[in-house]
Amino acid sequence: MTDTPPRLGRLTFHSPLSEARAAGIVQRLAANRPRTVLDIGCGWAELLLRVLAAVPDAKGTGVDINGTDLERARRNAEARGLADRTEFVEESALGTRRGPADVVLCVGSGQALSTAEPGTAEVLRELRRLVTDGGRVLLGEGFWQRPPTLTELSGMWPGARADDHHDLATVLDLAVQAGFRPEWTETAGAGEWEEFESAYQADTEVWLAAHPDHPLAAETRERLDRHRGQWMHYRGVLGLAYLTLVPVVR
C-alpha cells in the first residue's frame, strides 16, 4: 500500500473560526485601509490573504517556522492573484524586526512571540511594538472559560497546568496594560470549536476506517484517539478570544 493518511484538508482556518466571524473581522481590519499587514505564525495565512483581497493596495508578510504550511500559503496566494503582494518567510518571530505594520495578526500563535508560560503579557507588549499608531492588532488568545479541574488537566496536552492560561477578563486587562484599547471582543462558540476539532481529524478518520491494516494504521489510530481524548477534556473549558485591539498613541 502506498496510501498515506491525509491531514487538515477540510480546514479553512487553523482555529475555531466560522466564515461569518471571519468576514466581520476582515471587514473591521480592512476599514482602516491598512498598507501593510504582518501575520505572526501565519500557517497557510487564510486571514492575511482575505485582508489583502479586501484592501487592494495593501501588502502582507507571513512569518512561520512550518515550511509545509508556508508552501500552502504561497499556493493560495498565487491562486487568488495575490502573489505579488505577499511575502512568506520561514523563520522564528521571536524579536522579529518585520514590523511595524498597520495590521498585525496573531491567531493562536502567541508562542511565536514569547517563551514565557503563560506569555500573554509579553506577547501583547511585542504586538504593541509591531503595530503602527492608528493600526490594529487581531489577537487570537486562549483563555480558561472556567478553572479546569485536576482531572480535566490530566487529560489535556502533556504537562497542562491551571496557570497555562488566564481568564478572559485578565487577558483584556493585560491588553490595556500593554498599551491597547479593545475595539472588539468576541469568543469562539461551541459550534465553531466542534467544526474545527471535527475537521481537524475528519479526513484522517475516514482514511483509517478504510485502511485498518495499513502499516501506518496503528500510529494513526493512537494519534487520533489521543487528540480526541484531549479535546474531550478541554471541551467547554478552554476558550479562544478574538480581540481587535487599537494601540494607544504614544
Side-chain angles (χ1 to χ4, degrees):
M1 294 183 181
T2 57
D3 291 345
T4 56
R7 292 196 66 203
L8 309 182
R10 299 198 203 183
L11 282 179
T12 301
F13 304 101
H14 205 160
S15 63
L17 179 63
S18 66
E19 285 288 343
R21 192 182 307 281
I25 288 171
V26 169
Q27 182 179 37
R28 272 195 304 279
L29 297 177
N32 216 33
R33 309 305 296 177
R35 294 170 298 174
T36 53
V37 184
L38 174 64
D39 193 346
I40 300 295
C42 66
W44 52 79
E46 182 65 29
L47 268 180
L48 169 62
L49 295 177
R50 292 188 183 206
V51 173
L52 295 181
V55 188
D57 296 330
K59 294 186 176 182
T61 300
V63 179
D64 206 295
I65 59 173
N66 188 314
T68 301
D69 284 352
L70 290 174
E71 281 304 311
R72 179 172 171 178
R74 292 186 183 100
R75 291 194 301 270
N76 288 345
E78 183 71 34
R80 300 180 199 186
L82 297 171
D84 61 335
R85 294 200 280 132
T86 55
E87 178 186 12
F88 297 105
V89 290
E90 186 176 347
E91 65 185 25
S92 169
L94 282 174
T96 184
R97 297 185 180 276
R98 295 282 173 182
D102 297 329
V103 166
V104 182
L105 308 173
C106 183
V107 178
S109 300
Q111 70 279 0
L113 293 174
S114 171
T115 58
E117 296 182 10
T120 309
E122 183 179 351
V123 168
L124 284 158
R125 289 193 295 270
E126 277 292 278
L127 291 171
R128 182 61 189 91
R129 179 179 70 84
L130 292 170
V131 68
T132 58
D133 285 347
R136 294 291 187 276
V137 163
L138 177 71
L139 174 63
E141 180 73 359
F143 69 96
W144 292 130
Q145 298 185 68
R146 61 168 173 77
T149 67
L150 291 177
T151 299
E152 288 165 340
L153 286 169
S154 70
M156 295 183 190
W157 50 91
R161 304 193 314 262
D163 61 358
D164 282 346
H165 295 286
H166 303 289
D167 62 20
L168 181 56
T170 300
V171 174
L172 287 165
D173 287 345
L174 290 172
V176 171
Q177 292 169 22
F180 292 104
R181 302 302 303 180
E183 178 183 8
W184 208 265
T185 301
E186 52 195 323
T187 62
E192 288 171 299
W193 273 106
E194 290 175 352
E195 182 173 354
F196 168 67
E197 292 289 0
S198 296
Y200 188 85
Q201 307 217 123
D203 284 339
T204 315
E205 292 282 14
V206 172
W207 177 91
L208 182 60
H211 301 83
D213 299 318
H214 191 281
L216 296 176
E219 65 182 76
T220 302
R221 186 178 300 108
E222 191 278 333
R223 173 168 56 82
L224 290 171
D225 292 348
R226 181 179 66 251
H227 182 84
R228 186 174 60 256
Q230 292 171 343
W231 171 32
M232 289 298 102
H233 280 81
Y234 60 70
R235 183 173 183 264
V237 184
L238 177 66
L240 188 71
Y242 295 102
L243 307 180
T244 304
L245 303 174
V246 184
V248 176
V249 176
R250 292 170 173 169

